[in-house]
Amino acid sequence: MKAYIEEAERDLLHTYNRYQIVLDRGEGVYLYDTDGKKYLDFVSGIAVFALGYGNKEYNDALKAQIDKVIHTSNYYYNVPAIEAARKLKKVSGMDRVFFTNSGAEAVEGAIKAARKYAYLKDGCTDHEIIAMNHSFHGRTFGALSVTGNPKYREPFEPMIGHVKFADLNDIDSIKSQLTDKTCAIILETVQGEGGLYPASEEFLRQVRALCDEEDILLILDEIQCGMGRTGYMYAWQKYGVKPDIMTTAKALGCGVPVGAFLLTEKVAANSLVAGDHGTTYGGNPLACAAIEKVLDLFEKDHIIDNVREVAPYLEQRLEELKSKYDCITERRGTGLMQGLVFDHPVREIIDRALEKGLILINAGAEIIRFVPPLVITRKNVDEMISILDTCIGS
Ligand SMILES: *Cc1c(COP(=O)(O)O)cnc(C)c1O
């Protein structure tokens, strides 16, 4: 493993402070490194592999599609994309789908659709977007421009421009940034990367009402909190506060790189048209075969029921841990998207957990984030807690 790591550090651009393990294969909620050591996985590739590793039905579906055709082009129709779009519309309640290769690209498309919608109304090219402080929407320029972390943006300025930042769960802060040029408000229904902050029901309703009054589009980024993680297919469904545009990715393909932005018919009919947007790979047959099978398995295996059953238990066990240690100041999050806030950096704790066979990840320097596969059991939660307990303050 050491030799692999040395070679990686010579060849790969150092844009990650990687944990010192080389992962090799997975089985259920466990991963194995190249030395054969077993790890309980509470990260799932950052909220991606919802179904657990080595799911036979999922693997077989991909293999079958590989044997048929992997890629064609968006200039032709393909059956997996048609099936995936139908199923995605059904679970989301949205009307139109555009498939992308990643989360960031879904955000790019959402921003373009929102700007085009405003452009078609008044012909102006100076529309503004309101985004949230502490938000994370991805690393490409459009997505980065609406990411509420100045540290990620500054070295790459100028951004796309005309973006203003407000505070989550503070409608007055949004109103203070509102102008007659505002075309969209973008937010994560539950902030992930930025520290596991859920948007409150009251705030979502207020933002929705504001958008309706002013004909501003509400873009909900469900890339991390979507796909069942909060106990609802999409987190906004808990409150019924429907977006005009929604982004989804991460668990959507369960590891095959794919995302999507979805629009209501009203936005679809008044924004992007032929020639406005495109992608070579987005929604290719292999990616869409993955989406289709993931959505089938969510239903067949009652994935969301499992989240609802296990999440309160995870929450309870994390609360117990918080009571035990003064250095844990808060537990935040919802469903199987939880965070423990420490009063010091958590890197050392995560390193110790790795040594003891537990994979965890941070969200910011002082928060441990828990985004396990959605198929975990209470027993897995107990196993995680008992390892983590030995890594804190030791
Ligand atoms: C991960 C993430 C993104 C970016 O997705 P990529 O696939 O990494 O481009 C965007 N928004 C949210 C909320 C995310 O968690």
Side-chain angles (χ1 to χ4, degrees):
M1 200 155 76
K2 199 163 163 284
Y4 278 127
I5 291 172
E6 278 167 12
E7 192 175 356
E9 287 303 328
R10 272 198 309 275
D11 298 344
L12 295 172
L13 186 64
H14 191 96
T15 49
Y16 303 93
N17 288 318
R18 289 186 165 89
Y19 292 99
Q20 298 299 296
I21 55 173
V22 184
L23 292 169
D24 189 43
R25 64 188 181 89
E27 207 182 291
V29 297
Y30 295 93
L31 283 165
Y32 295 82
D33 68 21
T34 48
D35 291 347
K37 181 173 163 182
K38 184 178 178 182
Y39 301 84
L40 174 62
D41 178 24
F42 260 67
V43 177
S44 58
I46 314 199
V48 170
F49 228 115
L51 298 171
Y53 304 99
N55 183 299
K56 189 173 179 327
E57 277 184 65
Y58 171 84
N59 290 359
D60 286 347
L62 289 187
K63 287 173 196 169
Q65 188 60 49
I66 285 170
D67 287 338
K68 269 179 131 176
V69 67
I70 294 174
H71 180 79
T72 53
S73 158
N74 282 311
Y75 281 102
Y76 315 99
Y77 303 96
N78 75 76
V79 177
I82 295 165
E83 301 272 338
R86 171 161 42 77
K87 288 172 185 176
L88 194 53
K89 278 177 57 173
K90 181 162 169 248
V91 294
S92 67
M94 302 296 286
D95 300 317
R96 296 266 172 178
V97 184
F98 183 101
F99 291 115
T100 66
N101 309 293
S102 68
E105 284 169 87
V107 173
E108 297 291 329
I111 291 172
K112 279 180 73 174
R115 278 191 171 180
K116 181 77 191 288
Y117 180 88
Y119 172 78
L120 287 178
K121 275 197 304 180
D122 63 13
C124 292
T125 54
D126 55 355
H127 296 108
E128 297 169 357
I129 296 170
I130 300 176
M132 301 302 119
N133 291 313
H134 303 293
S135 64
F136 181 83
H137 297 291
R139 303 297 197 148
T140 53
F141 269 103
L144 190 60
S145 298
V146 293
T147 287
N149 182 341
K151 196 185 78 183
Y152 288 169
R153 295 195 312 262
E154 253 160 44
F156 310 105
E157 295 276 354
M159 295 287 113
I160 63 167
H162 295 84
V163 176
K164 297 180 160 182
F165 288 94
D167 291 326
L168 188 75
N169 294 334
D170 181 351
I171 192 71
D172 291 332
S173 150
I174 294 215
K175 285 181 178 164
S176 75
Q177 300 298 336
L178 196 74
T179 73
D180 57 0
K181 295 291 179 191
T182 308
C183 71
I185 299 174
I186 182 167
L187 59 105
E188 299 155 84
T189 320
V190 183
Q191 289 188 339
E193 187 78 20
L196 291 305
Y197 291 100
S200 70
E201 175 171 9
E202 190 194 8
F203 174 74
L204 286 171
R205 288 192 187 290
Q206 288 167 330
V207 172
R208 181 67 271 175
L210 184 67
C211 288
D212 289 341
E213 269 163 43
E214 310 280 338
D215 197 21
I216 292 168
L217 300 181
L218 174 60
I219 305 172
L220 290 181
D221 182 342
E222 290 263 348
I223 290 169
Q224 189 161 161
C225 62
M227 295 298 294
R229 188 156 291 279
T230 66
Y232 294 82
M233 197 62 187
Y234 289 101
W236 61 264
Q237 291 169 338
K238 181 172 182 186
Y239 307 124
V241 177
K242 191 176 170 181
D244 301 294
I245 306 176
M246 181 187 94
T247 57
T248 180
K250 289 203 163 86
L252 179 64
C254 271
V256 171
V258 66
F261 63 95
L262 291 88
L263 314 97
T264 60
E265 195 57 43
K266 179 186 90 167
V267 180
N270 297 288
S271 61
L272 303 174
V273 296
D276 273 346
H277 198 53
T279 160
T280 298
Y281 288 137
N284 82 9
L286 181 65
C288 287
I291 297 175
E292 233 195 293
K293 187 48 81 175
V294 167
L295 293 176
D296 286 349
L297 289 172
F298 261 67
E299 197 175 319
K300 179 173 157 283
D301 295 346
H302 309 287
I303 298 292
I304 291 177
D305 291 342
N306 188 61
V307 174
R308 290 184 183 181
E309 138 83 14
V310 179
Y313 186 65
L314 172 63
E315 221 172 273
Q316 177 203 322
R317 298 295 327 257
L318 291 173
E319 284 290 345
E320 285 167 20
L321 213 58
K322 183 193 141 211
S323 317
K324 187 171 167 185
Y325 294 100
D326 288 340
C327 62
I328 303 176
T329 58
E330 202 184 339
R331 179 204 59 80
R332 274 205 300 263
T334 178
L336 291 181
M337 187 175 174
Q338 298 281 339
L340 275 184
V341 187
F342 286 71
D343 64 5
H344 60 74
V346 295
R347 175 89 195 199
E348 263 183 49
I349 296 175
I350 294 176
D351 280 330
R352 266 183 232 135
L354 268 184
E355 268 166 44
K356 294 178 180 179
L358 169 64
I359 297 184
L360 294 171
I361 193 108
N362 63 309
E366 300 190 338
I367 302 173
I368 297 181
R369 171 169 31 168
F370 304 85
V371 282
L374 302 184
V375 294
I376 57 156
T377 61
R378 286 169 173 241
K379 211 167 135 271
N380 298 140
V381 171
D382 288 337
E383 187 184 350
M384 182 278 289
I385 293 283
S386 73
I387 299 175
L388 179 55
D389 196 357
T390 67
C391 300
I392 304 171
S394 56

